[in-house]
Amino acid sequence: MSRIGVFVCHCGENIGRTVDCADVAQSLGELPGVVHAADYKYMCSDPGQQLVKQAIADKQLDGVVVAACSPRMHEKTFRRACSNQGMNPYLCEMANIREHCSWIHEDRTKATEKAIALGRAIIEKVKRNQPLQPIRIPIERRALVIGGGIAGIQAALDIADGGGEVVLVEREPSIGGHMSQLSETFPTLDCSQCILTPRMVEAYQHPRIKLMAYSEVDAVSGYIGNFNVKIRHKARSVDDTKCNGCGECQKVCPNKKIPSEFEQGLGRRTAIYVPFPQAVPNIPVIDRQNCALFKGRAKGLKKQACGKCAEVCGRQAVNFDQQDSFTSVKVGAIVVATGYQLYSIAQKQAHELLQGYGEYGYGTIPDVIDGLQFERLASASGPTGGKILRPSDGKEPKKIVFLSCIGSRDPAKGISYCSKICCMYVAKHTMLYRHKVHDGQAFVFYMDIRAAGKGYDEFARRAIEEEGAIYLRGRVSKLERASDVVKVYGTDTLSGENIVIDADLVVLATAMRPQPGIESLAQKLSVSYDAHGFINEAHPKLRPVETNTAGIFVAGACQAPRDIPDSVSMASGAATKVLGLFSNLELEREPTVAVVDEAGCAGCFHCERVCPYGAVEHKDIRDRKGTLIRVVANVNKGVCQGCGTCQATCPSKKVELQGFTDEQIYAAISAL
Amino acid sequence: MTLGYFPGCSLHSGAKEYDLSLRAVLQALGVELTEVRDWSCCGASSAHATNHTLAVALSARNLALAEEQGLAKVMAPCAACFNRLATARHVMAHDEGLATTIRPMLTRPFNNQVEVQNVVALFKGLTEVIAAKMTPLSHLNVACYYGCLLVRPPEVVAFDDPEMPTSMEAVVAATGATPVSWSKRLECCGAGLSLSRTASVVRMGREILADAKAHGAQAVVVACPMCHSNLDLRQAAMQRRGEPLDLPILFLSQLVGMALKLDPEALGLGRHFVSPAALQLAPALIAPQPRASLQG
Amino acid sequence: MSASEPVPTHHDPSLSGEINKLTGLNVAACYQCGKCSAGCPMAAEMPRKPHQLLRLVQLNQRQAVLSDSSLWLCLTCETCTSRCPNQVDPARLIDGLRELAFQQDPTLAPLKQRAFHQAFLHQIKSHGRVFELGLVVDYKLKSGALLDDALQAPGMLWRGKLALMPNNIEGKAEVRRIFEACEHVAGEEIPS
């Protein structure tokens, strides 16, 4: 016969108001196998826990049932108390008479009856509980950082400086991300490249960081502490072990007219190229879509259509036959830092929720550009050498109009959120414009100026008060191409006047969106994302850099629109979380995992097919001579998340979840 | 299959030539029209400006009549009628409360099964037939004017892109004429204020036509009798306030009819205030503009 | 409250509440960006622009908004509605406001616009269709604008653009009954 103790909590008035706790304790105390029953105002308090411990000692209890709140709240508390008193913690369970009873009912008599029934069920379950031991898993003290923008670089450096190994994977040929494209940064107007490039080099040269540029995460398996990651290295067509970055190949490439991604289409590049002079690594890549040789091959030409780059390369680094290659790495933690892209006003949208801006010409008006394009125009290393010249005819615009909230805060276009950084960069753009075009006039159409941050509002005010930008409160209804200007039909709701401006250049502060492909990456990682594709944090306030998958962390603009300081803070936060994980030698996990009864397993592997986590493995059963007798299922305890799907599926009932066996569950149900 | 036809009040009076030209052109193109029997006015702007229920009910009556007649689709050449009929269809499908109020008023079964079509969509579907039968209207630069009610609100009219439509340009291109690229093709002509606030209509019309002219148009093509009257009848008043415009305003059906070499009289080409006579033979007065791309 | 209980109907006596009941619109969704006014072809002539009318509704300024002549300048071209970022539908709102104004007191509408709408509806109610010559004459009598546009009629007659006799439809009694039924729903006469 069991010796179970029952402890009924009033939770102040939370339970006590609707449930007669004394009655519950008394009724449950009369059940066979229950040797102790008590109620108390706050069972989770120190004196409450003391009651539990005392009863274990006095009555030699072999099971504890706490009828109180949800196990999510206090299961750990009571299991720890039991453990401190020498009892196996898994012999302690909670009956939820708060969320499942007192909070959702009004009738005291009926609620009390239900609380007794819930308690009875858990008592019957605990009678069948077995002592369990937590699972210990070794931790691989290496992290994968996905994305080589400022967030990824910061996370990689912090982890590496803290003693961890890092694999930094970047999709583009160079690390640096969007920050490398920016001219100057708010609110201090320091040069973006000047503060970024040293960090890029540092990451490249760090002994504990392995940089894999022009690479993508192909597949991820495993679990916290023990992820297996397959990385695809896209074929650069240049051998990075031979190339010394001399740049001769680019000089001879005949195709020099390809719109440069780095210059946001405002500049040109060759088919063999490095995205920008400070690229890290400084190794070119051949854009096979635009390379004459590869285009010739695609057409089936026998003769090699070009090959000048290979001819000029003194180190024979150019390799036209290079294929994608793969590396597998084992890592203990992953940081997702894939960053953002800007919303496009084009008619065709990649995302079903999004609509373009037909009223702004769907992107067909040449002198309507976006914020990143303006950054390139303003950048000293940009296509115009830092001169503000408009794309259509290269003239210097004397009237420039900035439109805020394009895509952002516009549910009709599919995005309701505020992109957070635009107010600040628009203010910055008006200043940069003023500094470069002294006799020019900048106008800004805005809805609200959101400048919350250290020194931010002062910066935005400076644009208006000292740098002469005219801010007009209202949205623009239409942009119209008229002879050599763009007519801007806007309004100023503060004066109640409609405003029409013949602008020489219009700059759209378009919304921040997650990078394309984020959904498929998130699916590979089993992390959740919102309707826009931003990675979900585990808790919006208390766990902002963790995801819902243990061991995977998030940093920067792939989680929500972020500016540089926010991204860097998040990256350091995520790195600290990773280092915290790495500070343990082993990881302790709950033993609620599935276990296969090998003797009875028929080897049908239905469990393998239904397991959402890929935890079921094949195990060979051999006789003493080593002859294979049969193959049975085996659950990898590290991977199993204890969902119980296999248990429900197994035709011969030979796989069971520890702590939730059929016997326990049936006993609990029968007792209701 | 025969196509339901809802001419609307204007086509029986002020825009008689729209009715004439449509019937002539569609006959030539092999489209049979069946007029909705005993149709009544759609209610136009006066109904919806004063009583929403009345506005929906008046148009719903016509949809119910068409349904009774077994018509699957009704084409309304007037953009306002088209818009009101489409609105009624939309409201009757989406506002169950109002639909319940209105259904008994119709005194006949109504299952909201009649599709509503505008004239541009109809011709857009016939571009291949037109292109096969036409003699090109070469050297004719035409501004396609949509106005508002053909394209807005998008969820009701469900027609083309509300900001950068291309259908009318496609029809014009099929006649061999050149659609010019211009800015004011979606601006309102002043519609229902024609009588009660003529000065506003003249101001708006002038802005529209000046833009069309500045972009090299020799004529403006419309698909609405209200737009037509506001741009044609009021053009004299527009010219009193500025440089001459002299832009003939053609119904889309008339332009198609011209390409099909139909009798100008059958097309009612002589009924306009600004005569289109000069267009039929004269080559371009100015160099042809680049054809508007389908993106606008 | 159990899930099956109906949601209590919230009776909101404010102008936004009344508009919501009449049109289903949520006026509170307007964040006053002014895109409606920026694209409105009549804004230049309106004493109050569309976003300002909307603001007055939000502020429950019933009299001020219902007596504003701007309401009657709206052409329902729907530019505002199709571009409104928050899908507030200003054109439908203005229709709703005109309906409320017309119900409260038709003279809130400026004489000419009122005369036009009344003459137009009168045509439909009497003939089932609009008889343009009758419309023009009726409008001129109602508005007193006898000489406006007097020069156009001969041109229109000359071009066969004006029918001389009304075209009565067979179902004109049916149409008249629709008017009466709508008046019954509205609880008052539709001025025509």
Side-chain angles (χ1 to χ4, degrees):
Chain A
M1 184 56 98
S2 307
R3 299 186 59 78
I4 289 170
V6 176
F7 302 86
V8 183
C9 178
H10 295 238
C11 195
E13 282 287 291
N14 273 306
I15 297 171
R17 188 187 300 120
T18 22
V19 170
D20 183 342
C21 296
D23 187 15
V24 174
Q26 200 199 339
S27 305
L28 296 177
E30 288 163 5
L31 295 176
V34 177
V35 296
H36 179 84
D39 63 292
Y40 186 67
K41 201 158 181 71
Y42 288 109
M43 205 59 86
C44 61
S45 67
D46 257 3
Q49 292 183 48
Q50 200 51 44
L51 288 178
V52 178
K53 289 185 193 169
Q54 198 63 47
I56 295 173
D58 293 351
K59 307 260 176 91
Q60 289 89 50
L61 300 182
D62 62 5
V64 163
V65 172
V66 184
C69 54
S70 160
R72 290 182 68 100
M73 295 287 297
H74 274 307
E75 189 180 71
K76 269 196 182 139
T77 312
F78 292 110
R79 284 187 168 172
R80 202 182 301 121
C82 292
S83 182
N84 289 345
Q85 199 57 40
M87 177 191 268
N88 183 292
Y90 299 97
L91 299 177
C92 166
E93 300 252 5
M94 294 187 73
N96 184 351
I97 61 167
R98 193 177 75 172
E99 287 85 342
H100 287 180
C101 185
S102 72
W103 275 359
I104 51 169
H105 297 300
E106 283 168 6
D107 187 315
R108 188 171 170 85
T109 315
K110 286 185 182 168
T112 304
E113 263 174 48
K114 180 172 171 182
I116 293 169
L118 290 170
R120 206 161 52 220
I122 300 299
I123 289 167
E124 287 309 313
K125 179 172 184 246
V126 170
K127 284 181 184 173
R128 290 154 182 84
N129 276 19
Q130 297 295 321
L132 301 173
Q133 297 306 323
I135 299 164
R136 294 182 186 283
I137 316 160
I139 294 173
E140 189 71 42
R141 297 173 73 187
R142 180 183 301 113
L144 168 72
V145 176
I146 308 171
I150 184 58
I153 291 172
Q154 182 72 32
L157 285 172
D158 284 355
I159 295 168
D161 287 345
E165 298 275 328
V166 176
V167 175
L168 174 58
V169 173
E170 165 59 50
R171 176 158 71 179
E172 300 299 326
S174 166
I175 57 170
H178 284 311
M179 190 175 164
S180 64
Q181 294 177 285
L182 306 184
S183 52
E184 290 166 19
T185 53
F186 62 78
T188 43
L189 293 186
D190 39 357
C191 153
S192 184
Q193 289 261 4
C194 311
I195 56 177
L196 175 68
T197 45
R199 312 236 77 188
M200 291 163 62
V201 173
E202 200 184 332
Y204 190 41
Q205 294 176 341
H206 201 292
R208 279 188 294 278
I209 298 177
K210 177 140 185 61
L211 173 60
M212 298 180 177
Y214 210 49
S215 300
E216 289 181 30
V217 171
D218 195 64
V220 180
S221 61
Y223 50 93
I224 180 170
N226 297 274
F227 293 105
N228 289 304
V229 184
K230 191 173 163 200
I231 294 161
R232 172 195 294 270
H233 307 290
K234 297 183 279 188
R236 273 185 185 266
S237 316
V238 173
D239 186 338
D240 58 1
T241 60
K242 292 182 184 162
C243 173
N244 65 357
C246 71
E248 288 302 319
C249 51
Q250 297 171 65
K251 288 184 197 154
V252 299
C253 179
N255 189 351
K256 300 187 190 308
K257 293 258 168 88
I258 305 160
S260 157
E261 295 81 1
F262 182 79
E263 301 295 358
Q264 294 291 316
L266 295 175
R268 301 278 177 266
R269 63 164 171 81
T270 44
I272 185 165
Y273 71 106
V274 288
F276 54 103
Q278 302 88 337
V280 170
N282 183 25
I283 297 165
V285 52
I286 293 181
D287 166 6
R288 293 187 174 183
Q289 303 295 317
N290 287 300
C291 165
L293 181 137
F294 283 98
K295 282 200 281 192
R297 279 190 185 177
K299 275 189 217 146
L301 295 187
K302 291 237 169 72
K303 225 179 110 207
Q304 190 166 293
C306 185
K308 293 210 166 98
C309 50
E311 285 161 25
V312 80
C313 180
R315 300 172 69 96
Q316 282 82 47
V318 178
N319 176 2
F320 298 122
D321 299 314
Q322 203 180 54
Q323 302 288 319
D324 288 4
S325 61
F326 295 89
T327 309
S328 285
V329 286
K330 217 166 172 215
V331 298
I334 299 174
V335 178
V336 186
T338 51
Y340 70 95
Q341 62 173 325
L342 286 186
Y343 166 86
S344 144
I345 66 164
Q347 188 166 25
K348 278 217 174 95
Q349 293 286 330
H351 202 287
E352 60 198 24
L353 291 177
L354 301 180
Q355 304 277 323
Y357 278 76
E359 61 270 45
Y360 300 165
Y362 285 131
T364 58
I365 308 175
D367 290 324
V368 177
I369 61 172
D370 68 23
L372 270 176
Q373 289 178 310
F374 187 84
E375 292 288 346
R376 294 316 300 152
L377 291 182
S379 173
S381 63
T384 55
K387 289 200 180 98
I388 308 294
L389 304 175
R390 64 182 196 176
S392 66
D393 54 9
K395 273 204 282 198
E396 188 177 69
K398 298 297 179 193
K399 266 192 211 167
I400 188 165
V401 178
F402 296 90
L403 310 191
S404 294
C405 297
I406 303 307
S408 313
R409 303 177 69 198
D410 194 336
K413 306 293 186 198
I415 298 178
S416 50
Y417 58 81
C418 163
S419 288
K420 198 176 176 182
I421 66 164
C422 327
C423 286
M424 289 304 294
Y425 82 63
V426 166
K428 179 189 78 179
H429 284 173
T430 66
M431 290 188 203
L432 296 180
Y433 174 72
R434 178 72 157 200
H435 298 167
K436 288 165 188 284
V437 185
H438 301 299
D439 57 343
Q441 178 62 55
F443 299 89
V444 177
F445 282 98
Y446 74 102
M447 293 207 292
D448 301 287
I449 301 175
R450 295 186 169 172
K454 195 171 179 178
Y456 281 19
D457 199 56
E458 295 89 323
F459 182 78
R461 292 305 310 166
R462 200 173 109 204
I464 299 168
E465 292 170 19
E466 293 167 32
E467 309 270 11
I470 296 178
Y471 271 59
L472 300 157
R473 199 210 161 274
R475 272 192 186 269
V476 164
S477 176
K478 194 179 182 190
L479 296 178
E480 195 177 281
R481 196 179 180 181
S483 57
D484 72 337
V485 296
V486 180
K487 271 198 179 307
V488 180
Y489 293 89
T491 200
D492 174 44
T493 61
L494 300 180
S495 63
E497 292 298 322
N498 276 357
I499 311 274
V500 181
I501 301 173
D502 287 344
D504 298 315
L505 183 63
V506 174
V507 184
L508 307 178
T510 44
M512 268 176 127
R513 294 184 50 222
Q515 279 284 356
I518 186 82
E519 284 98 344
S520 88
L521 177 66
Q523 284 158 14
K524 282 175 194 162
L525 296 168
S526 298
V527 299
S528 68
Y529 49 91
D530 67 16
H532 302 286
F534 287 115
I535 302 290
N536 284 335
E537 64 282 11
H539 188 283
K541 283 149 223 141
L542 302 179
R543 296 170 68 194
V545 299
E546 293 163 74
T547 67
N548 59 345
T549 299
I552 302 187
F553 305 92
V554 62
C558 65
Q559 179 261 346
R562 299 269 172 217
D563 61 11
I564 296 168
D566 275 5
S567 299
V568 170
S569 311
M570 270 187 99
S572 290
T576 308
K577 284 279 170 191
V578 170
L579 291 170
L581 175 66
F582 288 178
S583 68
N584 301 298
L585 290 173
E586 285 184 321
L587 204 66
E588 202 170 272
R589 287 199 52 217
E590 290 282 296
T592 42
V593 293
V595 176
V596 176
D597 173 3
E598 289 175 7
C601 173
C604 71
F605 293 102
H606 282 328
C607 50
E608 184 185 19
R609 283 187 280 280
V610 298
C611 177
Y613 306 99
V616 179
E617 299 163 350
H618 292 219
K619 184 176 176 185
D620 295 346
I621 305 288
R622 295 174 189 274
D623 65 11
R624 279 184 197 155
K625 289 180 204 154
T627 319
L628 182 67
I629 304 170
R630 57 203 179 89
V631 183
V632 297
N634 181 59
V635 176
N636 181 326
K637 288 187 167 63
V639 184
C640 175
Q641 299 290 313
C643 71
T645 311
C646 53
Q647 183 173 8
T649 310
C650 180
S652 51
K653 301 285 165 221
K654 294 301 175 201
V655 57
E656 291 211 295
L657 202 56
Q658 294 194 117
F660 291 91
T661 61
D662 283 351
E663 190 200 2
Q664 287 172 294
I665 305 268
Y666 289 142
I669 293 170
S670 309
L672 277 173
Chain B
M1 173 105 180
T2 181
L3 178 65
Y5 181 49
F6 181 87
C9 306
S10 299
L11 273 77
H12 275 207
S13 53
K16 190 89 187 137
E17 66 272 27
Y18 194 11
D19 185 55
L20 291 173
S21 58
L22 249 181
R23 288 178 190 271
V25 166
L26 290 178
Q27 192 182 17
L29 295 174
V31 177
E32 190 194 332
L33 291 181
T34 303
E35 188 163 333
V36 176
R37 203 186 53 77
D38 203 41
W39 55 268
S40 47
C41 173
C42 70
S45 52
S46 292
H48 74 73
T50 51
N51 189 306
H52 183 57
T53 315
L54 178 69
V56 177
L58 285 175
S59 284
R61 175 180 184 267
N62 292 307
L63 294 177
L65 286 170
E67 197 169 296
E68 191 176 57
Q69 237 173 303
L71 297 168
K73 194 189 270 184
V74 165
M75 189 272 289
C78 166
C81 298
F82 160 70
N83 192 286
R84 293 316 308 166
L85 293 179
T87 300
R89 178 168 159 80
H90 186 80
V91 171
M92 293 299 280
H94 293 93
D95 185 344
E96 193 40 49
L98 197 58
T100 311
T101 309
I102 288 174
R103 249 181 246 113
M105 299 181 193
L106 305 177
T107 62
R108 48 177 61 73
F110 179 63
N111 296 308
N112 205 6
Q113 278 169 345
V114 180
E115 240 184 275
V116 183
Q117 195 186 39
N118 65 55
V119 82
V120 182
L122 172 66
F123 278 127
K124 175 85 191 296
L126 295 169
T127 43
E128 280 175 30
V129 192
I130 297 169
K133 295 191 172 185
M134 62 98 186
T135 312
L137 297 170
S138 314
H139 310 300
L140 181 59
N141 294 332
V142 171
C144 296
Y145 176 66
Y146 291 81
C148 18
L149 299 172
L150 278 179
V151 288
R152 291 189 291 260
E155 65 279 7
V156 171
V157 296
F159 166 70
D160 213 331
D161 187 286
E163 297 288 355
M164 296 191 97
T166 54
S167 306
M168 217 190 287
E169 278 81 359
V171 177
V172 167
T175 67
T178 305
V180 301
S181 198
W182 63 304
S183 302
K184 306 280 184 199
R185 40 188 206 138
L186 300 170
E187 302 300 316
C188 185
C189 69
L193 289 181
S194 186
L195 270 181
S196 63
R197 205 172 162 100
T198 312
S200 307
V201 173
V202 170
R203 169 181 67 80
M204 280 181 264
R206 163 136 210 108
E207 282 169 19
I208 292 163
L209 294 185
D211 187 61
K213 202 168 174 78
H215 286 86
Q218 296 161 275
V220 175
V221 172
V222 299
C224 173
M226 314 260 282
C227 300
H228 190 276
S229 115
N230 283 342
L231 296 180
D232 178 49
L233 172 70
R234 303 285 175 208
Q235 210 175 112
M238 295 173 202
Q239 299 187 128
R240 279 200 290 275
R241 299 177 167 207
E243 67 270 29
L245 294 160
D246 294 323
L247 272 178
I249 314 297
L250 299 171
F251 286 108
L252 185 59
S253 49
Q254 292 178 312
L255 186 82
V256 175
M258 283 161 66
L260 297 176
K261 292 278 173 220
L262 299 185
D263 174 16
E265 202 166 321
L267 298 175
L269 285 172
R271 289 169 172 262
H272 298 329
F273 283 83
V274 181
S275 169
L279 294 176
Q280 294 183 60
L281 295 168
L285 301 172
I286 47 175
Q289 292 286 305
R291 184 170 290 194
S293 77
L294 287 187
Q295 277 75 43
Chain C
M1 194 175 79
S2 78
S4 60
E5 251 176 78
V7 180
T9 39
H10 177 61
H11 179 70
D12 181 354
S14 70
L15 184 55
S16 342
E18 217 172 326
I19 283 292
N20 178 264
K21 202 171 149 228
L22 185 68
T23 64
L25 301 180
N26 177 13
V27 179
C30 171
Y31 54 26
Q32 289 287 303
C33 72
K35 198 173 182 181
C36 48
S37 301
C40 176
M42 288 301 287
E45 301 180 30
M46 288 179 170
R48 282 199 181 94
K49 298 186 172 42
H51 77 277
Q52 294 172 320
L53 295 170
L54 231 149
R55 185 69 185 143
L56 288 181
V57 177
Q58 289 179 333
L59 299 178
N60 201 26
Q61 299 295 304
R62 194 188 158 90
Q63 231 19 61
V65 70
L66 291 190
S67 60
D68 196 305
S69 63
S70 311
L71 295 180
W72 303 93
L73 300 185
C74 167
L75 296 157
T76 324
C77 74
E78 310 261 6
T79 305
C80 50
T81 295
S82 66
R83 291 182 188 159
C84 175
N86 259 356
Q87 291 145 318
V88 178
D89 200 345
R92 181 74 189 92
L93 171 81
I94 289 176
D95 262 356
L97 291 171
R98 290 196 280 220
E99 188 165 345
L100 289 182
F102 229 52
Q103 271 178 24
Q104 183 180 314
D105 175 6
T107 64
L108 287 175
L111 176 65
K112 284 187 175 181
Q113 278 92 52
R114 181 174 81 235
F116 177 78
H117 289 319
Q118 291 180 340
F120 197 96
L121 293 176
H122 180 74
Q123 288 295 317
I124 308 177
K125 200 172 173 181
S126 336
H127 309 298
R129 291 183 192 163
V130 173
F131 164 49
E132 283 187 11
L133 195 58
L135 169 67
V136 173
V137 171
D138 194 9
Y139 163 71
K140 284 178 184 294
L141 289 174
K142 282 190 161 100
S143 67
L146 293 174
L147 293 175
D148 289 12
D149 255 0
L151 292 174
Q152 304 286 6
M156 293 193 64
L157 281 172
W158 179 252
R159 286 168 175 80
K161 279 177 176 284
L162 277 184
L164 290 170
M165 290 298 288
N167 183 358
N168 286 313
I169 65 165
E170 283 171 33
K172 94 182 173 183
E174 234 178 69
V175 171
R176 180 176 282 274
R177 277 196 297 276
I178 290 180
F179 270 82
E180 284 158 6
C182 292
E183 283 165 359
H184 183 73
V185 171
E188 32 211 305
E189 203 182 328
I190 294 168
S192 56

